Amino acid sequence: MKTLVCTTPGQLDYQQGVKPKPAPGRAIIDIRRIGICGTDLHAYEGTQPFFAYPRILGHELAGELIEADDAPGFRPGERVTIIPYFHCGRCIACRSGKPNCCTQMQVSGVHIDGGMAEYLSVPSYSLVRGQGLTFDELALVEPLAIGAHGVWRAGIEPGEFVLVIGAGPIGLGIMEFAQIAGGRVIAMDINESRLAFCRDRLHINYTVNASSETIMEQLQLITDGDMPTVVIDATGSRHAINNSFRFMAHGARYVLVGLQKGDISFSHPEFHKREATLMSSRNATRADFEHVITCMQKGLVNPTTYITHRVDFGQAKDSFETWLNPTTGVIKAMVELG
């Protein structure tokens, strides 16, 4: 079978791989869609933590189930996606119902080879039913579940002001699910075209350009002087993360969804006097995946809105570097097979 391998930072090569064979507890998927996310792009440019080369990228996947062992109710030929965070089932996190932060986590396309291939073998427990969704929609369930999990971590109450920093695909998903939870969302980014996307496509009422010198004044005006009670970072930028502690209201929660390699720092007195809460949000759970699918089925989320670029698998290698360029206006690139 044909695969696309990231051999070193900045280098992708098509190679011939071995088509997976049936195995106990495993499922084989005929891959039809691969969504390109920040993790893939960061791996390509050499800035992704927890990464080793060579690696077949890809974890935002949709395809047709070929066969599966120990997968009650699943049938060959049906559309599926996967929960691409393969967990051990034995560690403290797994035993506590948090397989999304398993101590032995293996993420498809990060720690182990992923789905930029014609076929992929996965643990049968990772399968998620298509439930009538298209391949495009199914490939977008995972990134939206990341956002849904961050919103769940924040525990948003109806009417709260929720500042979401970073209007990339993950940030946009956070905004959508924060609105579904009843939050009043404020979108922040340095890219004005992405802020326009927030206003025009997602109907976000409040947007703030992070390059502005009047951010504090704008946030105070929007929140009637209170500042946001929830701040969620989706940038993965150390500067943005460190800078955003000052945007928190007293009693606020700050959720880190974005990931970067270095340390974070903040003023302890300023954080302490707010009795603030800082938490991370890693991956997503099956409950988040099901929540996303339900919201798609109800029409609360239109995932295809995010797709701005589309290429065939054979064109992915030559297109990949262009998706790193903000001037292309890429939000979500989708690779098609079959």
Side-chain angles (χ1 to χ4, degrees), residues 15 56 80 110 130 166 195 312:
Q15 297 181 5
I56 299 174
V80 295
V110 179
L195 292 176
D312 292 329

Side-chain angles (χ1 to χ4, degrees), residues 5-9 11 13 15 51-57 109-113:
V5 183
C6 188
T7 52
T8 61
Q11 183 64 44
D13 292 303
Q15 297 181 5
F51 201 84
Y53 303 85
R55 180 68 67 227
I56 299 174
L57 305 177
V110 179
H111 307 99
I112 59 176
D113 284 340

Side-chain angles (χ1 to χ4, degrees), residues 14 41 50 77 108 122-123 125 128 146 182 184 198 204 209 234 238 248 270-271 297 333:
Y14 289 106
L41 297 173
F50 316 125
S108 176
V122 300
Y125 67 72
V128 178
I146 296 283
R184 292 186 283 178
C198 293
I204 304 298
N209 193 305
R238 176 160 39 173
M248 301 172 70
E270 288 296 320
F271 187 81
Q297 291 171 328

Side-chain angles (χ1 to χ4, degrees), residues 47-245:
T47 59
Q48 176 63 29
F50 316 125
F51 201 84
Y53 303 85
R55 180 68 67 227
I56 299 174
L57 305 177
H59 62 271
E60 298 180 2
L61 307 172
E64 180 180 309
L65 184 63
I66 301 299
E67 57 183 290
D69 175 71
D70 193 21
F74 284 90
R75 295 182 225 172
E78 70 176 289
R79 291 175 181 172
V80 295
T81 184
I82 64 166
I83 302 174
Y85 332 117
F86 307 144
H87 57 276
C88 73
R90 300 178 302 275
C91 71
I92 180 61
C94 290
R95 297 198 313 270
S96 302
K98 299 179 180 180
N100 57 297
C101 58
C102 170
T103 63
Q104 306 298 317
M105 178 70 69
Q106 291 188 309
V107 178
S108 176
V110 179
H111 307 99
I112 59 176
D113 284 340
M116 287 194 185
E118 293 178 294
Y119 300 93
L120 182 67
S121 173
V122 300
S124 294
Y125 67 72
S126 69
L127 293 173
V128 178
R129 284 188 174 83
Q131 300 185 51
L133 300 183
T134 67
F135 286 130
D136 281 348
E137 290 169 333
L138 284 172
L140 288 166
V141 170
E142 190 274 341
L144 288 170
I146 296 283
H149 189 70
V151 167
W152 175 80
R153 288 281 284 156
I156 293 169
E157 298 288 341
E160 280 194 283
F161 280 106
V162 181
L163 173 62
V164 181
I165 305 162
I170 299 299
L172 296 174
I174 293 169
M175 294 176 202
E176 292 224 74
F177 285 95
Q179 288 195 131
I180 290 170
R184 292 186 283 178
V185 174
I186 307 167
M188 181 181 290
D189 200 283
I190 59 173
N191 187 321
E192 194 57 47
S193 66
R194 290 204 168 184
L195 292 176
F197 184 94
C198 293
R199 292 189 295 268
D200 299 340
R201 297 291 190 91
L202 303 188
H203 309 295
I204 304 298
N205 291 325
Y206 309 102
T207 59
V208 175
N209 193 305
S211 302
S212 171
E213 296 181 357
T214 62
I215 292 175
M216 295 295 288
E217 292 83 356
Q218 292 180 63
L219 292 176
Q220 287 170 342
L221 181 64
I222 292 168
T223 63
D224 196 24
D226 289 337
M227 300 298 285
T229 50
V230 176
V231 176
I232 306 179
D233 177 81
T235 67
S237 160
R238 176 160 39 173
H239 173 75
I241 291 169
N242 290 344
N243 194 46
S244 299
F245 282 90

